[in-house]
């Protein structure tokens, strides 16, 4: 699936391309399932610019067919999964850098592997590495926007396993119910409630140590208002559009707050870091503490509709593109 110019889902076109042999540091992988993520829509629209033509897709799982010179952690026949730049996962077969590709444990299916790598590694770096100055301890409240989404439902479960009290937000009562079923301690329908006021109420007026915000423009100010002194706002997505410029002095006025704009791809920049994070994710999934909720499946040929549904907030949990 490729686009020749930025625009709406209608720009996605199915094309045939020649796939060659892997070069040094590369592998060729035949996909069994492909993950769908909000970042794909940012790249398609041009919010995140890339040269054209562009093959979309940041995560998938499949079988390694061939390895290039210098690749030692994978071999032909290995089951594997990845979340990785450059884009290009919306396909049956591709050659790609081996650095961010991990061997997939036998206990984890290809569909689960495709659904969980980008979203699960994102939850991992947020809950384990993107921490407030005072750290996080069992019993602490955290706020997680879009709690019924792919990253959110993984985070709800993982936070509970860590002993954290996750307050989620979602856009409907049904989505709030889903977040609660996956381990959120509370969930606020931001369509009908002032989430900042409810967070203060839930925390006895204290606020939370950290807000994990993938929504962006629409929740930014409210997120700052949810933080206790020295709290951290981790803005890791732009679901409603980019955060507009703001006065840094506001952070001082609201209690010496911190703000960060992390990305997964900084965290998986090295082979060693990628493997350590993936091992942590695999372990928590294999233990049963985190289950990967695949709520939607679309054939790769119907990816235009998948993008429309994702952008219209019609999806919950994880979505995969199938190749059979």
């Amino acid at each position: 699936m490729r686009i020749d110019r930025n625009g709406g889902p209608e720009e996605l076109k199915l094309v045939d391309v020649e796939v060659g042999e892997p070069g040094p540091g590369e592998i060729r992988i035949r996909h069994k399932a492909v993950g769908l993520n909000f970042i794909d829509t940012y790249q398609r629209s041009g919010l995140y610019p890339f040269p054209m033509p562009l093959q979309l897709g940041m995560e998938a799982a499949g079988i390694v067919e061939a390895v290039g010179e210098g690749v030692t952690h994978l071999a032909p026949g290995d089951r594997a999964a990845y979340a990785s730049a450059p884009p290009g996962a919306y396909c049956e077969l591709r050659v790609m850098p081996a650095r961010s590709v991990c061997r997939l444990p036998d206990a984890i299916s290809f569909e689960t592997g495709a659904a969980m790598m980008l979203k699960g590694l994102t939850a991992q770096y947020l809950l384990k590495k993107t921490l407030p100055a005072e750290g996080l301890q069992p019993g602490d409240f955290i706020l997680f926007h879009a709690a019924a989404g792919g990253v959110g439902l993984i985070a709800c479960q993982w936070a509970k396993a860590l002993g954290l009290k996750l307050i989620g937000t979602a856009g409907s009562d049904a989505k709030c119910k889903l977040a609660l079923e996956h381990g959120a301690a509370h969930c606020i329908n931001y369509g009908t409630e002032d989430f900042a006021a409810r967070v203060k109420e839930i925390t006895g007026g204290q606020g939370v140590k950290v807000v994990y915000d993938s929504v962006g423009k629409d929740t930014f100010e409210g997120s700052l208002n949810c933080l206790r002194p020295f709290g951290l706002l981790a803005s890791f997505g732009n679901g409603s559009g980019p955060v507009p410029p703001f006065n840094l002095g506001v952070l001082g006025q609201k209690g010496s707050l911190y703000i960060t704009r992390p990305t997964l791809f900084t965290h998986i920049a090295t082979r060693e870091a990628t493997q350590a994070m993936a091992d942590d994710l695999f372990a928590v999934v294999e233990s049963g503490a985190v289950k990967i909720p695949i709520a939607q499946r679309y054939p790769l040929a119907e990816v235009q509709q998948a993008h429309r549904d994702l952008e219209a907030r019609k999806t919950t949990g994880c979505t995969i593109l199938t190749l059979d």
Side-chain angles (χ1 to χ4, degrees):
M1 277 291 172
R2 193 170 74 186
I3 62 171
D4 294 316
R5 61 184 181 183
N6 295 121
E10 68 281 357
E11 296 298 336
L12 285 155
K13 302 290 192 298
L14 194 60
V15 297
D16 289 322
V17 297
E18 190 75 24
V19 180
E21 296 299 315
E26 294 181 331
I27 65 162
R28 187 172 72 237
I29 183 169
R30 184 169 294 278
H31 292 152
K32 296 294 186 179
V34 176
L36 180 76
N37 294 281
F38 233 101
I39 192 173
D40 305 346
T41 70
Y42 301 159
Q43 293 169 357
R44 189 207 71 227
S45 70
L47 179 62
Y48 292 178
F50 278 85
M52 295 294 149
L54 175 64
Q55 188 170 302
L56 296 175
M58 303 299 288
E59 78 180 333
I63 296 175
V64 177
E65 283 195 347
V67 302
E69 182 184 349
V71 177
T72 58
H73 68 286
L74 294 166
D78 280 350
R79 304 171 76 254
Y82 65 88
S84 176
Y90 286 7
C91 64
E92 297 172 321
L93 184 72
R94 73 181 292 199
V95 169
M96 64 176 294
R99 183 185 66 237
S100 296
V101 183
C102 299
R103 192 175 296 156
L104 186 66
D106 290 341
I108 299 176
S109 71
F110 288 119
E111 286 199 349
T112 298
M116 78 180 198
M117 290 300 286
L118 191 143
K119 291 170 279 287
L121 292 175
T122 298
Q124 198 276 346
Y125 87 72
L126 290 172
L127 294 173
K128 296 292 192 75
K129 298 184 175 186
T130 312
L131 303 175
E134 297 173 337
L136 288 174
Q137 288 79 40
D140 282 345
F141 283 103
I142 65 174
L143 178 63
F144 208 102
H145 288 301
V151 177
L153 290 183
I154 294 171
C156 286
Q157 299 172 77
W158 209 332
K160 184 177 181 180
L162 294 171
L164 302 171
K165 295 178 181 177
L166 184 146
I167 304 169
T169 70
S172 70
D173 289 343
K175 287 186 175 183
C176 283
K177 182 174 183 287
L178 193 60
L180 293 168
E181 289 169 351
H182 282 77
H186 304 270
C187 196
I188 303 162
N189 181 344
Y190 56 68
T192 59
E193 294 186 273
D194 179 339
F195 72 82
R198 279 286 289 131
V199 165
K200 287 296 179 71
E201 184 181 324
I202 291 167
T203 61
Q206 297 298 304
V208 297
K209 282 186 174 181
V210 60
V211 177
Y212 297 110
D213 189 341
S214 63
V215 177
K217 175 173 64 70
D218 289 353
T219 51
F220 179 74
E221 186 173 346
S223 292
L224 291 178
N225 292 336
C226 290
L227 290 167
R228 59 192 286 180
F230 307 110
L232 170 68
L233 171 55
S235 176
F236 70 100
N238 315 284
S240 66
V243 174
F246 77 104
N247 178 5
L248 280 174
V250 170
L251 301 180
Q253 296 163 15
K254 292 182 181 295
S256 299
L257 303 180
Y258 295 80
I259 188 165
T260 183
R261 204 329 181 167
T263 71
L264 171 62
F265 302 106
T266 313
H267 287 85
I268 60 171
T270 68
R271 168 84 209 122
E272 296 74 19
T274 303
Q275 192 64 57
M277 291 171 63
D279 287 345
D280 194 20
L281 174 62
F282 294 153
V284 78
V285 170
E286 288 184 286
S287 76
V290 172
K291 295 177 172 60
I292 306 301
I294 301 173
Q296 297 83 210
R297 291 172 172 83
Y298 300 81
L300 180 64
E302 295 177 15
V303 70
Q304 289 186 4
Q305 189 60 47
H307 273 232
R308 291 188 189 99
D309 291 349
L310 183 64
E311 291 182 298
R313 307 295 195 276
K314 292 182 178 178
T315 64
T316 60
C318 300
T319 302
I320 61 166
L321 306 173
T322 59
L323 295 163
D324 296 330

